[in-house]
Amino acid sequence: MASSTTATLFLAPPLEQLRHLSEELRSLLPRVRVGEAQETTEEFNREMFWRRLNEAAVKVSGEATVLTTLFSKLPLPSPQETQRICEQVHVAIEEIIAVYYSLPKDQGITLRKLVRNATLDIVDGMAQLLEVLLTVPSQSTENGDLISCNSVSVACQQVPEIPKDNKAAALLMLTKSVDFVKDAHEEMEQAVEECDPYSGLLSDSEDGSDSHSDEDGVLGLPSNRDSHWSEEDQALITPCLALVRASRASLKKIRILVAENGKKDQVAQLDDIVDISDEISPSVDDLVLSIYPPVCHLTVRINLNVYLLRGQKMLSSLCHSSDYLETVHSLNLELVWQPASSAISLSLSPQLWGHGHA
């Protein structure tokens, strides 16, 4: 009894306990990012896994609500009460991490990534909630909104929406890739349509800007190259748009192919397709960003080469990835990329690159 009383006397203040718990949760994040699936001889039970994961998410969300309620009013909980709730939060977080670890690799790397990311969002959201409770004064209007809209609750609510098998996970990721490229393509087309090469010339003159810039090479014309495309810039836009359009069409066809011909038990093949397709979106981003003014032609040239290489790798890998993907030939993906390849050859010709840009 005496030892219990002594332990109680040395409990840290409530806010200090919250700070310590936040640091503990932050320390778990690297482990979750690189953690391997738990090895077991038991046969994987898909239905039980998803039930456990959903229940664990509900439990974490409930603990977040209790935590917020206790620390959004004065007086703050006692050190003993704080210790109890902190232990419950820690147990709930460890439980959902353990459920994630129970998902075997043979269920699909793509599916595991989605579950891992959901788990990371929940752990990170709980750490953020603790940090907000440490910094936002009690009984403030900000704290009153935490119960319904804190990020950990939002993350927990997303768990039931996770695809339940690797094919569904692959289709989700392919859809995201298609949508990303579609948005980039439409934004670039809109920018081209709205482009006026003479826009800004009059306003530059009226503002009294230096109209004799040596950089322009033409006496009396103001410089607008920082916000507008030159004729040479515009010559690059067509092949760039052709490549983005080609990748958009290819990804759409691949998504259709997976939806119609993919089988749930072809886990490794589906993972390979997602990995290959994932390389395209960053290339689209780099390419599109590099052709907005002011244009650095050397950067565009580098991005074009990387982009084309990744596109050819995607087509080559898809043609040899699995038996059911033999139908890739019927989709004529090579014909989709051929016009873009021709445009690239033109854009990289010595005549175009011979004006001091490279």
Side-chain angles (χ1 to χ4, degrees), residues 249-260:
S250 297
L251 288 171
K252 286 178 66 176
K253 289 177 180 291
I254 292 166
R255 182 182 60 184
I256 293 171
L257 181 68
V258 170
E260 295 181 350

Side-chain angles (χ1 to χ4, degrees), residues 48-243:
M48 181 180 295
F49 169 81
W50 289 108
R51 184 172 66 251
R52 290 179 59 207
L53 188 67
N54 290 332
E55 290 174 352
V58 170
K59 183 176 180 180
V60 171
S61 182
E63 297 298 347
T65 300
V66 172
L67 181 68
T68 306
T69 303
L70 289 175
F71 282 86
S72 60
K73 60 184 179 181
L74 293 176
L76 294 177
S78 66
Q80 293 81 7
E81 182 69 6
T82 302
Q83 182 185 45
R84 183 186 64 81
I85 184 60
C86 285
E87 289 175 350
Q88 291 176 351
V89 169
H90 196 276
V91 168
I93 290 294
E94 288 283 2
E95 183 176 330
I96 199 165
I97 292 174
V99 177
Y100 158 63
Y101 282 151
S102 71
L103 181 63
K105 282 185 177 180
D106 61 17
Q107 294 299 306
I109 300 301
T110 305
L111 180 61
R112 287 195 85 246
K113 285 181 179 178
L114 292 179
V115 178
R116 179 195 65 193
N117 290 341
T119 305
L120 286 169
D121 287 343
I122 289 172
V123 179
D124 183 64
M126 183 65 81
Q128 288 182 30
L129 175 59
L130 289 164
E131 290 160 4
V132 169
L133 292 173
L134 285 168
T135 57
V136 178
S138 298
Q139 290 188 326
S140 70
T141 56
E142 290 86 350
N143 260 17
D145 294 332
L146 287 173
I147 296 177
S148 59
C149 65
N150 63 70
S151 58
V152 63
S153 294
V154 173
C156 291
Q157 292 168 7
Q158 297 302 312
V159 169
E161 306 301 321
I162 301 174
K164 300 302 184 288
D165 59 67
N166 207 49
K167 178 182 177 180
L171 284 172
L172 175 63
M173 298 309 295
L174 288 171
T175 299
K176 289 183 177 181
S177 294
V178 171
D179 290 344
F180 180 90
V181 176
K182 174 178 176 288
D183 290 343
H185 182 226
E186 292 177 350
E187 288 176 9
M188 199 65 238
E189 282 191 325
Q190 182 179 355
V192 172
E193 291 175 0
E194 296 175 353
C195 172
D196 179 1
Y198 302 103
S199 175
L201 293 182
L202 182 61
S203 60
D204 285 344
S205 300
E206 291 175 344
D207 290 341
S209 59
D210 184 6
S211 62
H212 302 280
S213 172
D214 294 334
E215 205 174 335
D216 289 303
V218 180
L219 186 64
L221 288 180
S223 172
N224 67 339
R225 68 175 54 190
D226 287 346
S227 57
H228 302 283
W229 285 301
S230 67
E231 290 185 5
E232 288 184 341
D233 294 342
Q234 294 182 56
L236 287 175
I237 294 173
T238 298
C240 289
L241 276 174
L243 273 181

